[in-house]
Amino acid sequence: MADITAPLQGTVRVKASPDETALRALHILGFLFLALALALPLSSLLLRAFQDQQGDFVGLRNFAIYVTTPSLIQSAWNSIWTAALTTLVVVPLAFAYAYGLTRSNMPGKWFFRAVMFLPIFAPSLLPALSLIYLFGNQGMLRWIMDGGSIYGPWGIIGAQIFYCFPAATIILAVALSTADGRLYEAAEALKASRFRIFLTVTLPGAVYGLVSAAVVVFTLVVTDFGIPKVIGGQFNVLATDVYKQVVGRQDLNMGAVVGMVLLVPAILAFLLDRWALTKKSATLSGRAVPYRPKPRAARDHPAFLLCLTIALTLIGIVGVAVWGSLIRFWPYNLALTLDNYDFSRFDTAGWQAVWLSIKFSLMTAVLGTALVFIIAYSLERGPRSGFLAGPLRFLATIPLAVPGLVLGLAYIIFFNAPGNPLGIIYGTLAILVLNSMVHFYTVCHLTAVTAIRQLDPEFEAVSASLHVPVWRTFSRVTIPICLPAILEIAVYLFVSAMTTVSAVIFLYGPDTKPASVSVVHMDEAGQASAAAAMACVILAISLSAKLLQLFMNGVLGRFTSAWRR
């Protein structure tokens, strides 16, 4: 007998559970947030590049002016060749340093790992100030320049090497630490020489890490504003051109054009990095055996000396900045003093800029961590077939390709647009927090996704079978287990907000000047010692945040071990 219900089976809809409805709602909220705080401002920037001062559409006229202005074209070329040269220097140095950390048995690895992170906790202006003390017109080592000047491309490249070194080393250390030990055993069994093993096993295994490191360094140099602003002199680059067009000439249209040009290399580098990441993932094997280096003096001693030299150089650059912050009046009065830390003498914001930066960074860390983790959880544990899941994932990756200056300029255009009710937050602490949350969103999102994917989905499945709401599973299971990753995200957001210049240089108001911007203004006023003092304060606060995180991780580790016993 035929089943009379058969025609109806294809039309039955299964009602979504309350948990699915809640997670879909989070998709909507996440999409609306990124659309409002990222997509719409960038769209406004793109539109402004095709308008004149009155807002009338002028097509490609602004771009035609750009390509026919020799100084602007020269700035683009300056950005490209300084970034390329910095990349050629940083990547080999970072590879050698990472090789020593992962492929040798040299002593003091913990020390070298700790020192490697120093540049991350300082604003990018700190190495530029140190190089001025060393090689500037009145520098201690001025004679090394042999009549040349540190103000210009060589100063930019030197400071960028310090600034970009940690990012490249971290990427390469990860690439080298994931090697398959079986390949080395096979090569040794075949009596291959050390050099041949390096060429045929080590380098091919790290090639995509090298590509990623080169992409990251190139992008950081092209998009950085602080270093060329302090030590660039009359050597213009794209980042300083954006600043001059917006702040100096009040020309948002041409600023938008330069911003779009600045966005091009960042997007190309981002796409290249995505390609490298895909290729790297395809080469991983589930049968891989971790490589454990054996003691070998011919490798370990040179690796130790190289890492020691690089580590001492990093410490020396920071030390010069600290020393410079204590000099009474460089270079005529080298007596030590703490007067340079009385910031009210050099900048109207004074110490208020420091307290505001701490408040602004804490708000960014707390709100940003909560937002990022909740959205990442909704994407990983929510319905994957929803119509917003794909676009939301795409929007979450865009900030990694958007330079801070470009995002800041987009915020000016969007939030200052006539009739935009959100314009009330311009110049307030709220827009600084919003901008920083979006600017550093992607790295935090990827960290959260990685942590959540390490959890067995059975947690949610069991909870659903017991009719436990998803929010309870999230608060009682997911958050406690992922707490180390959550702390990592919070500290990353805090440190990034404390040290960033480019992301907030256009957005602060008279009462909301961050400490990093105060460094720029004090340097512009010729108060190099006070600027160095403010940079050192930022470094100390960022380091304190990281040390607090390490302490909390230790406490969590002991608590977890005791709980398991």
Side-chain angles (χ1 to χ4, degrees), residues 229-244:
K229 183 69 175 67
V230 171
I231 204 171
Q234 300 302 313
F235 185 82
N236 291 328
V237 294
L238 283 172
T240 53
D241 267 353
V242 174
Y243 184 77
K244 289 176 181 177

Side-chain angles (χ1 to χ4, degrees), residues 10 61 65 87 90 98 104 139 160 181 204 233 303 307 315 359 375 395 404 432 459 489 510 544 550 559:
R61 190 173 72 185
I65 295 174
T87 303
V90 170
S104 76
Q160 294 287 9
C307 290
I315 294 173
K359 180 180 178 181
I375 292 177
L395 285 176
L432 299 182
F459 285 121
I489 293 171
S544 298
L550 295 176
F559 176 80

Side-chain angles (χ1 to χ4, degrees), residues 124 160 163 219-228 237 239-240 405 502:
S124 63
Q160 294 287 9
Y163 174 58
T219 305
L220 286 174
V221 177
V222 169
T223 59
D224 180 63
F225 168 76
I227 287 174
V237 294
T240 53
L405 275 176
S502 60

Side-chain angles (χ1 to χ4, degrees), residues 183-208:
L183 298 177
Y184 290 87
E185 293 174 0
E188 291 174 359
L190 294 172
K191 307 298 183 182
S193 65
R194 302 290 182 187
F195 183 67
R196 184 172 179 81
I197 292 175
F198 179 79
L199 291 180
T200 59
V201 180
T202 303
L203 280 182
V207 65
Y208 298 114

Side-chain angles (χ1 to χ4, degrees), residues 80-93:
I80 292 172
W81 79 261
T82 53
L85 187 54
T86 303
T87 303
L88 289 176
V89 175
V90 170
V91 172
L93 286 176

Side-chain angles (χ1 to χ4, degrees), residues 410-484:
Y411 270 43
I412 292 178
I413 296 171
F414 176 69
F415 286 98
N416 275 342
N420 187 346
L422 297 175
I424 58 173
I425 71 170
Y426 185 78
T428 67
L429 197 61
I431 199 170
L432 299 182
V433 173
L434 182 64
N435 178 270
S436 295
M437 286 168 55
V438 173
H439 184 210
F440 306 113
Y441 188 93
T442 301
V443 173
C444 302
H445 175 79
L446 295 176
T447 303
V449 166
T450 301
I452 294 168
R453 285 180 178 175
Q454 291 175 349
L455 301 181
D456 194 335
E458 288 298 318
F459 285 121
E460 284 77 16
V462 172
S463 298
S465 66
L466 296 174
H467 302 288
V468 177
V470 66
W471 60 265
R472 185 169 295 174
T473 305
F474 176 74
S475 61
R476 295 188 177 182
V477 178
T478 306
I479 289 180
I481 295 177
C482 295
L483 203 52

